[in-house]
Amino acid sequence: MAEDIRQNFGTDTAVTISLDSLADAASVVATAKDLGSPGPFALSLEVKLDGVAAGATGLVEIYAQWSNENADFSDSDNDLLVGAVQMNGTTAAVKVFTMPVHARHVKFRVFNNSGAALASAGNALRYVPVSVDQV
C-alpha cells in the first residue's frame, strides 16, 4: 500500500510583539516561542501591517532569532532574515512567509524601514507550525 506525505498545519498562534505605532527606523523583538519537541519542520508566518502616511512605501523587515536552550538568542546583527513586507502608504499590507525551523525556540524581530511609523492599531504577527503527516 502506497503512503502519501502531506503537510500538517498546526494551530494559528499570535506572536506577542508591540508593533502598533512602531517608529520608522526602529525595531522591536517578540517574546520567545517554544516550538516543542518534536517540533515542526517549518513555520507559516503571517504579517499584517498598517501604515499611517502616504510616504510609508518602504520595507518592513522580519527576522528570526533562534536558540536551542531558550537563553542565548542571536543578536540583531546575526539574526536571520525571514523576508520583507512592501508597505503601500496608508493601506494595510498582508504577506505570508514560509520559513524553516532552525531550533526549538524562536523570537521574531521586526524592523520598520517604511518611511513612517506604523498605525496605532491593526498590526499583527501570527504563525502556524507546519509538520509532516504520513497517511
Side-chain angles (χ1 to χ4, degrees):
M1 179 166 111
E3 295 185 13
D4 294 328
I5 296 177
R6 301 181 297 187
Q7 290 181 337
N8 185 15
F9 294 98
T11 303
D12 182 36
T13 304
V15 174
T16 304
I17 189 168
S18 299
L19 295 173
D20 293 339
S21 301
L22 180 62
D24 184 45
S27 65
V28 63
V29 178
T31 302
K33 289 291 186 178
D34 182 346
L35 300 175
S37 181
F41 288 100
L43 296 177
S44 176
L45 186 68
E46 181 182 79
V47 183
K48 294 181 181 181
L49 302 172
D50 210 351
V52 294
T57 57
L59 299 175
V60 175
E61 300 163 5
I62 315 299
Y63 294 90
Q65 299 176 336
W66 296 100
S67 173
N68 288 322
E69 74 292 328
N70 199 25
D72 296 320
F73 287 86
S74 57
D75 55 50
S76 60
D77 291 332
N78 293 301
D79 50 15
L80 296 172
L81 178 65
V82 174
V85 177
Q86 179 72 56
M87 297 299 288
N88 53 13
T90 59
T91 306
V94 179
K95 190 164 185 178
V96 177
F97 302 97
T98 299
M99 56 182 281
V101 171
H102 292 271
R104 179 173 176 163
H105 305 275
V106 64
K107 291 181 182 180
F108 296 101
R109 181 173 69 90
V110 176
F111 175 65
N112 181 8
N113 199 24
S114 69
L118 297 180
S120 61
N123 302 290
L125 188 61
R126 306 184 67 79
Y127 74 90
V128 171
V130 181
S131 301
V132 173
D133 185 21
Q134 188 173 6
V135 293

